Amino acid sequence: MCRKLAVYILMAIACCFAVFANGETKATGDANMILLGDSNTWIGGDLCDNPKGWNYWLRETLQPAFCRSYARSGATWTNTARTRRNPDENIAVIGPDNVVYNQVVRLKSDADSCRVPVPDLIVVMCGTNDAWFSRRRPGIWADDASQVNLSTITSALPSGATSLARSVMLSCRMLQEGFPGTSLILVTPMPTTATSPANIARVADLIARCGKRLGVPVVRLDLESGIDPAEEKVKPRFTTDGTHTSAEGARRVAEIISKTVIETLSEKK
């Protein structure tokens, strides 16, 4: 009996080493993941099956039980005074309703109707268009993270949350209240040739401050991606056009995000 027990223990240890050697963990293998964001998530496809999107490589690396993208090309965090509840719109360009808020509404509807499982993790990667088209979001800098009342923000209409800070807080608090057992990760925009590093940094810094107030981890792609807009302008490698990732760029982004995903889900276990 003791010999059999010893064999079982050794087999269990061997299995554990095999799992870690493959870079997989139980924490990610049985997780349901939902991804929100703009075109760099959208290009990976709703089913996360296009290698030009980082969500494809995240799914390939972590092998979650379920992975679905709700991202929309052209989406911003920031709402406008004309933004309304419009979860079905898919225009692929900047518009008042093409915002993360409506992705949250669509996700909540699908989860409530059991069209998708309740997520264990939600990752939101957005902000490029907020930096690029800030003139299309006239109230974007009206507030800072410290000025938003977290206890009342979800009572606001999207048209009443027209700053970047209020828009981030509104959508994130909707997710936290709608999915109380779900982990949330925010990802800042990566550098792009479409707008200046200063504009990207301003958006990313504010998202990071929002994350700190919300108590959620923030992945700083603007600082960690290693993507150089000047080099991409001369000879694209990690992007196809200076903004949207190539397969190589998407894989690099996924590697960075996956570290925080594994840490977050491991802590949750």
Side-chain angles (χ1 to χ4, degrees):
M1 179 66 70
C2 290
R3 179 176 291 180
K4 288 184 177 180
L5 180 60
V7 170
Y8 289 141
I9 292 173
L10 289 172
M11 290 175 63
I13 293 173
C15 287
C16 287
F17 276 119
V19 166
F20 285 111
N22 289 329
E24 299 172 352
T25 67
K26 186 178 180 182
T28 57
D30 60 6
N32 297 319
M33 295 187 190
I34 294 293
L35 314 171
L36 311 180
D38 53 30
S39 55
N40 266 317
T41 308
W42 172 83
I43 59 177
D46 291 354
L47 300 180
C48 308
D49 54 1
N50 187 328
K52 287 186 178 180
W54 65 270
N55 45 331
Y56 168 88
W57 296 104
L58 188 73
R59 180 178 62 81
E60 286 292 296
T61 300
L62 302 181
Q63 295 292 306
F66 181 86
C67 190
R68 184 66 54 83
S69 169
Y70 280 72
R72 289 286 188 249
S73 179
T76 62
W77 272 112
T78 312
N79 302 328
T80 76
R82 294 169 52 207
T83 300
R84 61 189 176 88
R85 184 186 177 95
N86 185 8
D88 297 321
E89 179 184 76
N90 188 4
I91 59 176
V93 295
I94 298 291
D97 297 338
N98 192 4
V99 291
V100 171
Y101 169 86
N102 276 318
Q103 296 176 34
V104 174
V105 172
R106 185 159 55 99
L107 166 60
K108 189 66 171 60
S109 175
D110 282 358
D112 289 345
S113 302
C114 298
R115 289 188 288 270
V116 298
V118 173
D120 298 293
L121 175 74
I122 298 171
V123 181
V124 189
M125 177 183 170
C126 198
T128 299
N129 294 319
D130 299 80
W132 189 354
F133 299 100
S134 59
R135 292 182 180 179
R136 301 278 296 273
R137 298 294 186 255
I140 186 171
W141 307 119
D143 301 294
D144 196 72
S146 61
Q147 298 173 293
V148 181
N149 188 330
L150 293 183
S151 62
T152 61
I153 187 62
T154 54
S155 63
L157 294 171
S159 58
T162 57
S163 69
L164 175 59
R166 289 187 182 278
S167 298
V168 171
M169 296 294 198
L170 171 59
S171 292
C172 288
R173 288 299 294 153
M174 287 171 62
L175 290 171
Q176 290 178 324
E177 292 178 7
F179 304 101
T182 299
S183 297
L184 178 62
I185 295 173
L186 304 183
V187 183
T188 67
M190 65 185 197
T192 171
T193 61
T195 190
S196 71
N199 288 340
I200 291 291
R202 189 177 186 185
V203 168
D205 287 344
L206 184 48
I207 292 171
R209 292 196 294 274
C210 289
K212 186 174 182 179
R213 275 213 69 197
L214 291 160
V216 301
V218 178
V219 179
R220 292 294 299 261
L221 282 186
D222 60 309
L223 303 177
E224 300 179 44
S225 69
I227 296 173
D228 185 340
E231 293 179 359
E232 293 298 313
K233 186 174 288 188
V234 174
K235 186 177 181 180
R237 174 185 174 189
F238 297 114
T239 69
T240 58
D241 56 4
T243 299
H244 302 98
T245 52
S246 62
E248 186 175 359
R251 189 167 191 167
R252 171 177 281 206
V253 167
E255 287 174 357
I256 296 168
I257 296 174
S258 66
K259 296 174 185 177
T260 301
V261 169
I262 291 171
E263 291 172 3
T264 301
L265 291 180
S266 296
E267 290 173 2
K268 184 178 179 181
K269 290 288 182 176

